[in-house]
Amino acid sequence: MEPVVMVGLDGSPESMAAAYWAVDEAERRKCMPRLTHAQPMLAPEPIRAAPEIGRNHWANRLLHKAQAELQAHYPGLLIVGNLIADDAHHALHHARRPVAVVPHD
């Protein structure tokens, strides 16, 4: 399992500042930064729905916007993001378990 520096995002300016710190720290430590947004009400995405009308639109938008902004500042670093269907406390507590990650385009 590859070492990661994980940070939780909630959409606040403070969480974005924490994300910048985490990505900078990941770059310094030569490990992968992982952006995480936890939301208990995440729903399975319908197969044929457009992303902008999916039930998780705002959670996806928050995560992808942060990921794109950070990727622009750190172009040589792979920044991954995860949506977790749980409350923030449990999501961060259980984050030590390996998860599948998909890079943002």
Side-chain angles (χ1 to χ4, degrees):
M1 184 168 67
E2 185 175 339
V4 299
V5 174
M6 189 175 111
V7 63
L9 295 170
D10 64 7
S12 69
E14 293 82 4
S15 73
M16 197 61 196
Y20 270 98
W21 178 88
V23 173
D24 192 56
E25 189 68 15
E27 183 178 55
R28 188 178 71 74
R29 293 178 184 228
K30 300 190 181 342
C31 57
M32 180 184 295
R34 182 188 305 162
L35 309 178
T36 302
H37 177 71
Q39 182 174 315
M41 300 301 288
L42 286 177
E45 291 291 345
I47 295 172
R48 295 191 176 132
E52 64 275 2
I53 62 170
R55 290 177 278 178
N56 301 325
H57 170 71
W58 294 109
N60 279 311
R61 182 177 172 190
L62 181 146
L63 187 61
H64 290 163
K65 183 178 175 188
Q67 199 171 0
E69 181 178 325
L70 289 160
Q71 196 68 71
H73 287 288
Y74 298 89
L77 194 60
L78 174 62
I79 299 171
V80 297
N82 295 104
L83 290 177
I84 299 175
D86 204 346
D87 65 67
H89 173 78
H90 288 112
L92 293 173
H93 178 73
H94 295 291
R96 291 171 273 151
R97 295 181 295 190
V99 295
V101 293
V102 178
H104 178 262
D105 294 330

